[in-house]
Amino acid sequence: MRDDGTGGAPPVTARVVVADDQTVVREGIVMLLGLLPGIEVVGAAGDGEEALRLVAELAPDVVLMDLRMPRCDGVEATRRVRAAHPDTQVVVLTTYADDDSLFPALRAGARGYLTKDADADEILRAVQDVMSGDAGLSPKVQRLLLERLAERDRPAPAPRPSGAVTGVPGALPDGLTPREAEVLALVAEGFSNAEIARGLHVAPATVKTHINNLFSKSGVRDRAQAVRYAYRHGIARPPGDTSGPFVT
C-alpha cells in the first residue's frame, strides 16, 4: 500500500462515470473532474441507458447522474443502478432543486444531490462523502430538506368551503376560478405548495397546475407578484389589515 507521507492510509481514488445528455455540459464536467485529486473519470454517458451499460461494464464507485435525460431518465437509472449494483453510489448533478426532482431521486437511492452551480470543492466533497457512506448534499439542498422537515410540523391550512374566497359570481378578476382564487389566497398567506395540497386534500401537482393557471391569467411572474395581485384585488388581506373587500 502506498504511503501518502502522513503515516496514514493513502487517499482512495474514486472511479466515476458521468451521465448527462448535453454534450457540452458532459464534456465540461469530465474536464473539471479530471482536475480534481482523488477522482478518475472512467466513462461518460449521454443518457440513462448508456449509464446503466457503463456501470455494468466498468463497476464505478460513483455515478454523477443528470435527471432529465432521454431513453431512461436519471431517477429510473438511479433506481436500476442501486438495485443491480449496490456498491455503486449515485450523486445527482442537475439544474433542478425542486421537490419534484429532489425527493424522487433520493427515494430512488441517490446518496448525493448537487445542482449544476456547485463548485469543484462541492463536487469533490460529495463524491468523498458518498464513498465513505455519508450523504453528499449541497448546502442549498440541505436547506431545502430542513425546510420541508419543518413544514411537516406546521399545521396545514384548514380546508375552506367551496366558494369561500368569493361569494359574488363574476367578482373574481381575469377569469380566475374560485379554486384558483382559493389557492392564491393561501399562497398570499405564505403556505407552500405541499402545505396547500394537504389542506385542500389534493395532489401537489394539482396545486402546481392551479398556480400555473392563475399566473397565466393574472400575468404575474412569481409568487411575490402573485401576493401583491391578491392584495390588490381583495383576494387576500395584507398582514395587519382588517378592512377591505376580502370575503370569507
Side-chain angles (χ1 to χ4, degrees), residues 219-243:
V220 303
R221 295 190 301 273
D222 54 39
R223 291 175 92 94
Q225 288 188 357
V227 170
R228 290 195 293 271
Y229 178 93
Y231 294 160
R232 187 167 66 252
H233 290 281
I235 294 172
R237 285 200 192 103
D241 183 359
T242 60
S243 63

Side-chain angles (χ1 to χ4, degrees), residues 44-153:
D47 58 55
E49 290 289 351
E50 187 177 5
L52 290 165
R53 181 183 63 78
L54 289 177
V55 169
E57 177 183 332
L58 302 171
D61 300 302
V62 177
V63 180
L64 283 182
M65 185 82 76
D66 188 23
L67 289 182
R68 311 289 171 87
M69 294 187 294
R71 294 208 296 166
C72 176
D73 66 29
V75 171
E76 179 60 22
T78 296
R79 184 178 295 110
R80 290 164 63 181
V81 166
R82 297 296 297 140
H85 309 279
D87 291 334
T88 296
Q89 302 299 330
V90 176
V91 174
V92 169
L93 184 60
T94 182
T95 305
Y96 309 96
D98 55 274
D99 292 3
D100 292 340
S101 301
L102 172 61
F103 293 104
L106 296 179
R107 284 193 293 266
R111 292 287 298 173
Y113 198 106
L114 302 172
T115 52
K116 287 182 180 176
D117 57 357
D119 59 28
D121 288 340
E122 283 184 89
I123 295 174
L124 178 59
R125 189 180 310 116
V127 170
Q128 291 173 336
D129 285 345
V130 300
M131 287 276 290
S132 63
D134 296 328
L137 305 175
S138 71
K140 179 189 297 184
V141 171
Q142 291 180 37
R143 286 194 299 272
L144 178 60
L145 288 173
L146 288 173
E147 289 169 2
R148 294 301 175 263
L149 288 173
E151 285 177 0
R152 290 198 315 177
D153 297 327

